[in-house]
Amino acid sequence: MQTAAPARKASRPRADALRNRERIVTAAREMFVEHGLNVPLDEIARRAGVGNATLYRNFPDRDALAREVVCSVMDRTARAAEQALTETGDAFAALERFVHTSADERIGALCPMISSAFDHDHPDLEASRRRIEGLVVEIMDRAKAAGQLRTDVGVGDVLVAAAQLSRPPAGSVCFSADRFVHRHLQLFLDGLRAPARSVLPGTAVTMEDLRRP
């Protein structure tokens, strides 16, 4: 009786293939921020130091590349907040890390692309979105319970402010405003601390508010 051949394990991507993919995503993020979503893919491949065939082998179209850029940005931002929470146990410190990392990742400049570029219901994008929203809600709830965070703010308030304050002013060169971003974000974060110094107009902004047309 012939013995069945053992099932072959799926081969892992080679290290150089993974590095190429990471270089493409990094280059795409930089160029989307600098020039907008419609930057030629050939230019992205050139900045990444790979051939066009390598880019298209990893990302068959612009939507796939843009989606990977957004997911990678959200995942890195979430990891930064998780790491801060693990290292310090301080929920407000984790919130600060999240906000400042969002700025470093160019969340504000990428927002127009996020809002209009591709299928918002794609499973990868939805998973990254749920992770980051759930994490920020958890951090804010813990900070409120600890008396660190004013109670009249919601996750939508934080996400909108982080995006707006890290977005370069109209007509300015994106990177020329960088030296002000973290200063202004820290002023905003200090305004979130409890006890509140003033009464905010309106109500706390939720994620449902942000999604409402």
Side-chain angles (χ1 to χ4, degrees):
M1 181 177 179
Q2 188 175 3
T3 304
R8 296 181 63 183
K9 294 182 178 179
S11 58
R12 290 184 176 182
R14 298 196 317 258
D16 58 339
L18 290 174
R19 283 194 296 271
N20 284 341
R21 185 179 178 88
E22 290 171 1
R23 282 199 290 264
I24 292 167
V25 173
T26 298
R29 180 179 68 92
E30 293 171 354
M31 298 196 77
F32 288 156
V33 167
E34 294 169 23
H35 305 292
L37 181 63
N38 293 321
V39 64
L41 297 184
D42 292 352
E43 292 297 322
I44 293 174
R46 186 174 295 111
R47 179 173 291 196
V50 303
N52 293 356
T54 299
L55 186 149
Y56 286 108
R57 187 162 55 248
N58 282 277
F59 304 103
D61 54 38
R62 186 180 301 275
D63 281 3
L65 178 55
R67 185 169 55 248
E68 181 66 18
V69 168
V70 172
C71 288
S72 68
V73 164
M74 288 197 290
D75 289 345
R76 281 195 300 275
T77 305
R79 282 198 299 272
E82 289 168 342
Q83 184 178 2
L85 200 56
T86 300
E87 289 173 353
T88 68
D90 186 320
F92 199 92
L95 183 63
E96 289 181 313
R97 182 83 64 88
F98 166 79
V99 169
H100 285 294
T101 302
S102 296
D104 288 337
E105 292 289 345
R106 312 289 183 182
I107 289 287
L110 290 174
C111 272
M113 183 184 79
I114 294 171
S115 65
S116 62
F118 42 74
D119 177 12
H120 292 79
D121 296 324
H122 190 280
D124 292 346
L125 187 63
E126 187 61 26
S128 292
R129 183 188 293 120
R130 282 199 305 268
R131 177 189 180 192
I132 202 165
E133 290 175 7
L135 178 63
V136 177
V137 168
E138 177 190 352
I139 288 172
M140 291 181 68
D141 285 347
R142 290 176 62 168
K144 288 177 182 178
Q148 298 173 302
L149 178 66
R150 57 189 299 163
T151 59
D152 56 350
V153 293
V155 62
D157 292 304
V158 171
L159 296 182
V160 167
Q164 290 181 338
L165 290 173
S166 61
R167 184 178 299 175
S172 68
V173 178
C174 177
F175 300 104
S176 70
D178 280 359
R179 63 188 184 275
F180 307 121
V181 168
H182 291 288
R183 175 182 176 86
H184 296 159
L185 286 173
Q186 194 59 50
L187 285 170
F188 162 70
L189 286 162
D190 286 349
L192 293 181
R193 288 188 179 275
R197 301 294 182 88
S198 61
V199 177
L200 293 177
T203 58
V205 180
T206 67
M207 293 308 302
E208 289 70 25
D209 292 330
L210 296 184
R211 295 192 181 99
R212 193 173 298 129

